[in-house]
Amino acid sequence: MGSITPPGSALMRRLRRGAPDRRKRLVLAAVLFLAFLATFAVDWAVSPAADAATSSPAASSSPSTGSSASTSDGPCTVSPTNGCIRGTILDSERKPATGVDVDVAGPGGFAQTATTDDSGRWSVSVTTAGQYTVSVDQGSLPKGQYLTNAADAERKVNATLNANVGQIFQLSDQQGATTSDDTSSVSAARAWQQLASGIRLGLLIALASVGLSLIYGTTGLSSFSHGEQVTLGGLLAYVFANQLGWNIWVTGIVVTLLCAATGYLQDAAIWRPLRRRRISLTQLMIVTIGLSIAAQYAFQYFFGASTVRIQQGNPETVTFAGLTLTVQSYVAMGIALVVLVGTGLFLAKTRFGRATRAVSDNPALAAASGIDVDRVIRFVWTLAAGLAGLSGVMLGLVLNGVNWQTGLQLLLLMFASVTLGGLGTAYGALVGSMIIGIVVELTNLVLPGDFKYATALVILILILLFRPQGIFGRAERIG
């Protein structure tokens, strides 16, 4: 017969203390998370009033309606009672076109004319949501410059309050160079520009995709709520940098740490307890879908459905090697590259990084060799959420806005990236993200608007048909 442990033994006392201690830690984690949400809600509740107070002079100084045209007197600033229609006009050499008149007409007889400044930018304030017509006065174009698309002189845009609507007009040195049904707009210069945009998109997607791939590698879970971590990063950056006036560098660091904390709390409060109950991966995936939906509507409740900007000023552009990108784009690409290289070195060179790769390779064998699998998984959730939050900050700056669906719109690109590179491999996620980003942006040469994102779906289907393990994945025998 086996020996029976006496009720008063030290082992039994430790066992009795263990469960309450774990419960206390979970309760503490939940309280901290709720406290963070409460603080965030209070801050958001009081910020609109301050925003309205600070932006009311700008709103009152800009004309709202009228039958006669007027000239814009300065950069537009969004507020709860004011929206902005703004844009940039570049000449055939991708340099700012100055002195070009842009006419904006809209509801209630609204009519206003804005003139591009030395950086080629223009903006118009509107106080009524609705559809507006934006047209370029072709008589005011610089000598020898013409609209690239002759049918593009007039556009319809839907403007909302507390949001920006951006429009970019490109000029050519050839009159009638392209029309709405002419395909000669695909040029080497434009392809070079789109390639740079693809590299930029790929680097920013990679920040989020690496974490998504590591989560799958260590847990086998495809997290559909990972896109909302990207959205959270962008929206928190809007609160700190725009509403509270923090320095953008401090904002980026704080937001990344806060998003990493949400990943830690998620694993402590949700995923680790569910793993201990041996919940199936299908059920866990359904939980991530529910968490994604709940987060989306929470974002919409607090921030509304409109797009918000992290920085209000018009971004400066820099032309380098024939490429014209905003300063934010160059900085975001540099930061993303440094962070991705650092993450790769961490996984390859450090002891904890090797443990992470071991768990991703074979969790059972890693546990048998003495690796604390739960600790590694907790770290992966924290790292993945932090990288996704940083990606949200960078995307919000590069795209000049973020809304409650930003992460959802990028989720397909992230899944296509990790599938192409190989599920569970961080390096594969990086390579897959770069390929997806470049292909999607180059597709914009022949496909209009957001149709380019359909390319990611096509690539995803082809990969699943012909090489389901991805570029760096290993083929597995089934049956």
Side-chain angles (χ1 to χ4, degrees), residues 71-77 112 122-125:
T71 303
S72 178
D73 293 328
C76 174
T77 303
Q112 189 170 345
W122 58 271
S123 62
V124 170
S125 300

Side-chain angles (χ1 to χ4, degrees), residues 96-444:
T98 60
V100 179
D101 292 332
V102 179
D103 300 320
V104 179
F110 180 96
Q112 189 170 345
T113 299
T115 303
T116 57
D117 58 17
D118 293 338
S119 57
R121 291 188 288 267
W122 58 271
S123 62
V124 170
S125 300
V126 297
T127 56
T128 303
Q131 188 178 76
Y132 289 79
T133 301
V134 179
S135 56
V136 176
D137 182 0
Q138 299 186 59
S140 63
L141 295 176
K143 185 177 181 180
Q145 296 292 316
Y146 311 93
L147 284 173
T148 302
N149 191 336
D152 201 32
E154 185 174 294
R155 300 179 183 178
K156 301 288 186 182
V157 299
N158 292 314
T160 58
L161 302 183
N162 201 28
N164 291 279
V165 178
Q167 297 293 313
I168 297 179
F169 292 93
Q170 178 65 47
L171 304 182
S172 171
D173 57 2
Q174 297 181 6
Q175 186 173 13
T178 61
T179 60
S180 58
D181 47 9
D182 186 5
T183 59
S184 63
S185 59
V186 180
S187 62
R190 188 178 171 204
W192 179 239
Q193 182 71 32
Q194 291 301 116
L195 176 64
S197 298
I199 295 174
R200 178 185 64 187
L201 178 62
L203 286 171
L204 298 184
I205 292 176
L207 282 175
S209 298
V210 166
L212 183 63
S213 187
L214 286 174
I215 290 173
Y216 180 86
T218 53
T219 66
L221 175 63
S222 297
S223 177
F224 283 82
S225 61
H226 198 66
E228 277 54 60
Q229 292 291 151
V230 177
T231 306
L232 178 63
L235 293 178
L236 285 178
Y238 161 73
V239 171
F240 292 130
N242 190 318
Q243 300 294 300
L244 301 181
W246 286 20
N247 176 274
I248 189 62
W249 295 99
V250 176
T251 294
I253 295 172
V254 171
V255 168
T256 301
L257 293 176
L258 283 177
C259 288
T262 63
Y264 181 95
L265 292 175
Q266 278 185 60
D267 185 66
I270 301 175
W271 308 120
R272 186 167 185 260
L274 292 179
R275 287 197 305 272
R276 288 185 172 274
R277 292 177 178 271
R278 299 187 182 278
I279 302 298
S280 70
L281 289 176
T282 301
Q283 292 170 305
L284 290 175
M285 186 174 65
I286 293 173
V287 173
T288 68
I289 295 173
L291 185 61
S292 170
I293 295 172
Q296 288 175 39
Y297 286 103
F299 296 147
Q300 188 181 31
Y301 176 80
F302 286 109
F303 294 92
S306 61
T307 299
V308 296
R309 296 181 66 184
I310 297 175
Q311 290 183 318
Q312 290 294 346
N314 287 330
E316 298 289 337
T317 58
V318 175
T319 301
F320 175 75
L323 301 173
T324 301
L325 296 173
T326 62
V327 174
Q328 287 91 333
S329 294
Y330 287 112
V331 173
M333 291 166 69
I335 292 175
L337 188 60
V338 170
V339 172
L340 290 170
V341 170
T343 303
L345 291 175
F346 172 82
L347 293 174
K349 301 296 183 181
T350 66
R351 183 178 179 182
F352 206 92
R354 289 193 291 269
T356 302
R357 290 189 291 127
V359 173
S360 180
D361 231 14
N362 192 323
L365 183 59
S369 64
I371 296 175
D372 189 341
V373 175
D374 276 335
R375 184 183 175 196
V376 169
I377 293 176
R378 179 74 53 82
F379 168 76
V380 165
W381 276 102
T382 304
L383 175 65
L387 290 176
L390 178 62
S391 175
V393 177
M394 300 294 102
L395 282 166
L397 292 171
V398 168
L399 301 178
N400 207 21
V402 62
N403 60 41
W404 66 289
Q405 285 187 316
T406 297
L408 178 64
Q409 293 166 350
L410 294 173
L411 190 62
L412 172 62
L413 300 183
M414 287 189 280
F415 273 121
S417 300
V418 298
T419 304
L420 175 60
L423 288 168
T425 62
Y427 304 112
L430 171 59
V431 174
S433 297
M434 297 304 300
I435 294 174
I436 291 294
I438 291 172
V439 171
V440 164
E441 289 296 336
L442 288 179
T443 303
N444 202 33

